Amino acid sequence: MMNRRFVTLVGALFAVMSLQAAEGALSARDVVERLANRFRTMKSYTVAFEVKGADFTATGSYAVEGDSYYMQVGDAEAYCDGAAKWEVDPSKREVVIDTVDLSSRNLLSNPTRAFDFLDGAFRSELLPAEGTPYRLRLTPTDKGAVMSSITVDVTAEGEPREVVYDLDGDTIRIVVEKINPTADVRRFDAAAYPDFEIIDFR
């Protein structure tokens, strides 16, 4: 009886160790896929975050539905319908309209593709990490890219916890605080900004 229990216990222990080994054996490509699929499986979602630069810190959030999004960082707002975006700067009382770069992976300029690196535009590698299962470093394959690298801390479930953009030595750090699988994507309404100057670069 004792031997049978011992064998069962050892078998269960090996099963757990095998699962842990399989989990730890994920490649950088595997983690990139988990990260992308975490967002691809949601029709819409909202992300709350904190952004830190060399001389500023702000809280923000963005809501995504397809290629459309609404973002708020501090007092500033951005609306996007998938083709154009409206950036509202209340300090200058300006609304700047421009086309959208759907290839951008910068969360602050195109959150709809912020964590999707499956198109071959980045080389990926896993770095040693503390306090999180995976740390990805993504380096643009385009030598002329403004961004030197992106580092993303990723949970075992494929959720991003922190993103660091290296812009030729300057870094922007974004801490992801919460992800909700629902979204209220607001549409730009010029009537809400009656005294703002409209600058259109389209």
Side-chain angles (χ1 to χ4, degrees):
M1 186 70 169
M2 189 66 157
N3 286 342
R4 189 175 299 173
R5 285 182 180 175
F6 179 75
V7 169
T8 302
L9 181 61
V10 169
L13 181 60
F14 273 115
V16 170
M17 290 174 66
S18 296
L19 285 173
Q20 289 177 337
E23 187 69 23
L26 288 181
S27 68
R29 177 68 181 182
D30 294 331
V31 179
V32 167
E33 288 180 354
R34 280 195 183 188
L35 180 61
N37 290 334
R38 177 67 182 88
F39 292 93
R40 286 185 173 189
T41 55
M42 294 184 287
K43 292 183 178 179
S44 61
Y45 54 89
T46 301
V47 177
F49 63 89
E50 182 180 53
V51 57
K52 301 176 182 180
D55 55 2
F56 72 93
T57 298
T59 57
S61 67
Y62 63 86
V64 168
E65 187 173 23
D67 288 332
S68 300
Y69 68 83
Y70 169 74
M71 177 182 289
Q72 190 166 23
V73 181
D75 294 330
E77 297 172 282
Y79 302 81
C80 176
D81 63 4
K85 63 179 177 179
W86 294 257
E87 296 179 337
V88 181
D89 185 343
S91 65
K92 297 180 180 178
R93 302 191 69 76
E94 291 179 349
V95 177
V96 176
I97 310 173
D98 208 343
T99 55
V100 183
D101 179 7
L102 292 177
S103 68
S104 172
R105 298 303 189 274
N106 188 324
L107 184 152
L108 297 175
S109 61
N110 182 35
T112 66
R113 302 287 192 281
F115 299 108
D116 195 331
F117 302 100
L118 291 175
D119 62 354
F122 290 82
R123 292 188 302 274
S124 61
E125 61 180 315
L126 286 173
L127 302 178
E130 293 181 8
T132 189
Y134 306 106
R135 176 165 292 167
L136 277 172
R137 180 161 62 195
L138 301 134
T139 307
T141 55
D142 180 3
K143 300 296 184 182
V146 175
M147 196 176 299
S148 301
S149 67
I150 304 172
T151 304
V152 189
D153 285 354
V154 186
T155 68
E157 295 74 29
E159 287 198 356
R161 283 289 170 260
E162 185 172 276
V163 189
V164 178
Y165 297 104
D166 186 343
L167 305 166
D168 290 333
D170 293 327
T171 59
I172 295 176
R173 184 180 306 273
I174 296 175
V175 178
V176 177
E177 297 176 338
K178 193 173 184 180
I179 301 172
N180 286 323
T182 58
D184 176 17
V185 180
R186 302 180 193 176
R187 311 299 178 186
F188 179 76
D189 181 3
Y193 309 96
D195 301 323
F196 282 55
E197 180 184 3
I198 305 295
I199 304 171
D200 197 336
F201 288 119
R202 288 177 295 178

